[in-house]
Amino acid sequence: MELTTVWFLAIAGLWTGYFVLEGFDFGVGALLRVIGRDEPERRAAITTIGPVWDGNEVWLVMAGAATFAAFPEWYATLFSGFYLPLFAILVALILRGVALEYRGKRTDLEWRGRMDTLITIGSVVPAFLWGITFANLVRGVPLDNSHEFVGSLGDLFGPFALLGGVTFVAVFVTHGAIFLALRTDGVLRERANRLAARLGVVTAVLAVAFLWWAQALRGDAGSAIVAAAAALAFVGGLVANRFRREGWAFTGTAVATGLAVVSLFAALFPVVIPSTLDPQSTLTAVEAASTAYTLKILTIIAAIFTPLVLLYQGWTYWVFRKRVVVA
């Protein structure tokens, strides 16, 4: 297998890991004021993601760094064309991180209420804009012969992109509700379980519509099979949630989220950014890749450090695996 293909798969894997892991803490943040009816309940909800949310964002840093190093032209075209949405994501993530860290620094409820609002905004906005971004990567954007984005901001907010944004939010919120049901007890667990059951049906419809549209735009038999497996896994997670098997339910939504992202990358390959103006202007993985020597060095570095990151993050989840009780 060529290193270009290896690194495309590696970047797809990093984005998959990011959305599976960050997806549930986006969901918890979005549901903070819905699930938590008072300060102790909200504090308990935040405690479920407190030890892991910043580790989950490491996957985003790694995905961005890997794209910059392995596919510099992909990175350049992406960040020039999607500058405003990506900048908004960055600002929202910063506000969310600050709110999570500073929420407990003061005890008055007004301060914590403002931090809760920032956490909610900082969870919903990135989820929506990531959906916009990935929908446009599948649909394509206006690129000229130099692979430069020549469209406007409005070109990024078509019907398919908006469906992608709403679908990402819905999937993450359902994923987060099931995570809360898994990690909490008592009234929070009951509330999260019921909410996941209600939201799940709507989310399933949105997800099926989005994946079907994505496959119709740019898919093949392989990506369609992966998308169908994602839908089945999501339904399985909802069934497990109905029977109060939160571990299996969370596994189902995690697998579904991961397979859905994989199906998008599978539909895209070997293209990295399609052009809606001229097929000859489409940017492919080979055209966007770094030199063979650079990819070889990157592969050695990744082989050394990736297992260390996985071991550390796995240890963190194991240590903080117990249910959180409202106190």
Side-chain angles (χ1 to χ4, degrees):
M1 185 182 296
E2 294 182 353
L3 286 179
T4 301
T5 304
V6 169
W7 274 97
F8 182 91
L9 293 175
I11 289 170
L14 290 171
W15 281 110
T16 300
Y18 173 66
F19 286 130
V20 169
L21 297 175
E22 187 88 300
F24 71 74
D25 65 49
F26 278 155
V28 172
L31 290 172
L32 185 57
R33 288 184 171 275
V34 178
I35 289 290
R37 305 293 172 80
D38 53 30
E39 168 56 23
E41 290 183 354
R42 291 175 186 170
R43 185 170 64 248
I46 289 175
T47 301
T48 63
I49 62 172
V52 299
W53 70 267
D54 48 355
N56 293 343
E57 290 191 351
V58 170
W59 290 78
L60 174 60
V61 175
M62 293 172 62
T67 305
F68 175 77
F71 298 99
E73 192 162 352
W74 186 7
Y75 184 93
T77 303
L78 182 64
F79 273 79
S80 62
F82 294 77
Y83 177 79
L84 288 177
L86 293 177
F87 181 74
I89 289 172
L90 177 61
V91 171
L93 290 177
I94 291 172
L95 292 176
R96 175 173 173 266
V98 169
L100 285 167
E101 291 293 339
Y102 281 83
R103 185 183 189 276
K105 301 300 182 182
R106 292 173 60 178
T107 57
D108 63 280
L109 295 181
E110 185 177 353
W111 167 264
R112 293 190 174 185
R114 287 197 292 265
M115 295 300 103
D116 291 344
T117 299
L118 289 178
I119 291 170
T120 301
I121 294 172
S123 299
V124 173
V125 169
F128 179 75
L129 291 178
W130 281 130
I132 292 286
T133 300
F134 272 78
N136 276 295
L137 284 179
V138 173
R139 183 184 66 89
V141 293
L143 299 181
D144 63 15
N145 292 332
S146 301
H147 307 308
E148 294 288 338
F149 180 81
V150 293
S152 64
L153 181 62
D155 292 325
L156 303 180
F157 290 88
F160 178 63
L162 292 173
L163 176 61
V166 173
T167 301
F168 269 52
V169 172
V171 169
F172 292 163
V173 169
T174 305
H175 194 31
I178 290 177
F179 177 77
L180 281 170
L182 174 66
R183 288 295 318 281
T184 59
D185 212 345
V187 65
L188 275 184
R189 181 183 180 187
E190 297 288 340
R191 200 176 294 151
N193 186 277
R194 290 196 302 269
L195 186 60
R198 293 169 184 170
L199 287 173
V201 177
V202 177
T203 302
V205 172
L206 287 171
V208 168
F210 175 68
L211 291 176
W212 177 85
W213 197 343
Q215 296 305 311
L217 285 172
R218 197 175 309 280
D220 54 24
S223 62
I225 290 172
V226 176
L232 289 175
F234 192 82
V235 172
L238 295 181
V239 172
N241 178 71
R242 189 173 185 84
F243 287 97
R244 303 292 300 276
R245 301 296 298 272
E246 287 96 350
W248 285 108
F250 182 73
T251 300
T253 55
V255 170
T257 302
L259 288 177
V261 177
V262 169
S263 75
L264 298 181
F265 277 99
L268 197 58
F269 186 78
V271 171
V272 291
I273 302 183
S275 173
T276 57
L277 297 180
D278 181 1
Q280 299 299 320
S281 302
T282 290
L283 181 62
T284 66
V286 172
E287 292 171 324
S290 293
T291 64
Y293 179 76
T294 300
L295 294 178
K296 186 180 297 185
I297 296 298
L298 289 174
T299 303
I300 296 171
I301 294 172
I304 295 172
F305 289 102
T306 302
L308 298 178
V309 173
L310 292 174
L311 284 172
Y312 172 75
Q313 194 159 27
W315 175 82
T316 303
Y317 276 93
W318 176 257
V319 170
F320 296 100
R321 67 188 184 278
K322 293 183 179 179
R323 289 184 181 270
V324 176
V325 180
V326 178

